[in-house]
Amino acid sequence: MAKMKLYYSPGSPYARKVRVVALETKLDKKIEMVNVALTPIAPNADVDKHNPIGKIPALSVKGIDLFDSPVICEYLDQQHKGRKLLPRKGRDRWVTLRLQAMGDGLLDAALLARYEGALRPEEKRWPEWSQGQLKKINGVLDQLEAEVKSLKGKLTIGTISVVCALGYLDFRFADLGWRDKHPKLGKWFAATSKLASIKATVPPPA
Ligand SMILES: N[C@@H](CCC(=O)N[C@@H](CS)C(=O)NCC(=O)O)C(=O)O
């Protein structure tokens, strides 16, 4: 069988979700990794061919291009026989998908804030808009701190998304000091960061 092809970059937190899932499901050997660089103002022609939204991750498999990260993660989870990272049914499924939505939602806000602060020309920046994104980030952090119990247990697609989101804050927003007001979440993150799949996918030094 032809290898699947994953378009990713080592610093992309959404692609990290997929890389963690690939390791956890032991499908990593079946995936060829294609390292690409891109931003909204410097798109990548190769990625554009596989994802009309022009974003990573994108996974080329059996003549079909899959995106975005939740879709790819669910696809990979269906391709292995081990413990499922996305429960098929019942309350656990919705708890997992809700957690994924929180991790991804934090990331969406963080990435917008990052693009605003790092890509947009200084004279065009809009502080209130960035503060609005920061409010969303803090909203998710507060919620996760309040329900840290729901994160405990074996990795799921939900907790993978959360760990990648928190890792992205450390990578791009180290000054935020998110652990100060979220100590229980910080403790959970420290413990989870020791897992092999999480360690193997840490973003490179900023
Ligand atoms: N909802 C998408 C978001 C993917 C995303 O925003 N990826 C970033 C890299 S971390 C990207 O490709 N940015 C380029 C752009 O926005 O044009 C997912 O879950 O995969």
Side-chain angles (χ1 to χ4, degrees), residues 181-196:
K181 289 193 182 143
H182 309 94
K184 293 185 225 158
L185 190 58
K187 216 170 146 194
W188 173 81
F189 179 72
T192 308
S193 296
K194 291 184 184 144
L195 298 175

Side-chain angles (χ1 to χ4, degrees), residues 9 11-15 17 38-41 53-57 68-70 104 108 111 115:
S9 82
S12 164
Y14 303 98
K17 288 172 59 192
L38 83 175
T39 70
I41 52 164
I53 310 160
K55 294 186 181 185
I56 49 168
D68 52 358
S69 64
D104 286 4
D108 293 345
L111 206 72
Y115 287 154

